[in-house]
Amino acid sequence: FDAARAALERSLALRSAALPPTHRLLADSRHKLGVLEMSLGRPDLAAGHFGRAVEGLRAGGDSVELVATLGDLSAALIADGQLAAAEQQLSDAMQRLPRLRPHEAAALRGDLLLREAELAQRLGDGQRADAELARALALRRAAPAAHPLDLAATLAAAADGHLAAGRYVEAMATQRE
């Protein structure tokens, strides 16, 4: 991971020297650094990278990259316990979805609904978490062939939600599915 971080940081430095601050390639480098930090369990550092990527992407208007990065920023903020900030980023991402092409929005909506469910669970709102998980699951079941791993991840999140709420039978049934 240290070698990957060093390579990404070199790439970012080179791109920063050659490109304007709002260039998509800079945002891409920052996003990749954020993903790396999340995989290492450092959501605070990841949030910084994702936040700087969002700043650059906002200059280009609504895009798949911006909405996806807002979602990743919210995940990092949730993991870091910054729930109010995560809620703001998720709200921003959800408001931008209708301005994307329908197939792009559909691909991102399920991920954002899972983040909404996770946030609701962390806020202690089990009913809202269940509702968001149900929406995500319905969306993923409607087109499971397109993204089978997305359906599997959504089912796993639903099973976790059932476990957290003490609904063991539902959790087992969801895991079997």
Side-chain angles (χ1 to χ4, degrees), residues 63-75 78 86-98 100 104-120 128-129 132-133 135-137 139-140 150 154:
S63 66
V64 171
E65 294 83 5
L66 175 56
V67 174
T69 304
L70 283 165
D72 289 339
L73 174 57
S74 71
I78 291 168
E87 196 160 29
Q88 289 175 334
Q89 300 307 318
L90 272 173
S91 176
D92 188 8
M94 292 298 273
Q95 289 172 14
R96 292 173 187 275
L97 279 178
L100 301 179
E104 294 171 337
L108 292 169
R109 186 171 280 110
D111 292 337
L112 295 176
L113 289 171
L114 286 176
R115 302 249 165 75
E116 295 247 357
E118 182 182 3
L119 176 63
R128 182 174 150 214
E132 298 299 354
L133 278 171
R135 289 174 61 201
L137 201 49
L139 183 70
R140 297 289 165 89
D150 289 343
T154 305

Side-chain angles (χ1 to χ4, degrees), residues 121 125-127 129-130 133 158-168 170-171:
Q121 191 70 41
D125 188 345
Q127 283 186 315
D130 287 348
L133 278 171
D160 289 346
H162 290 311
L163 283 173
R167 296 186 303 264
Y168 304 111
E170 292 95 335

Side-chain angles (χ1 to χ4, degrees), residues 8-31:
L8 288 170
E9 287 172 346
R10 276 193 307 275
S11 172
L12 178 60
L14 290 170
R15 288 176 173 181
S16 294
L19 300 170
T22 58
H23 199 282
R24 286 189 183 280
L25 290 175
L26 287 173
D28 179 63
S29 291
R30 290 181 174 115
H31 186 265

Side-chain angles (χ1 to χ4, degrees), residues 1-10 33 36-37 40 42:
F1 288 109
D2 290 335
R5 182 184 301 107
L8 288 170
E9 287 172 346
R10 276 193 307 275
L33 279 164
L36 177 68
E37 294 299 350
L40 293 173
R42 296 192 281 235

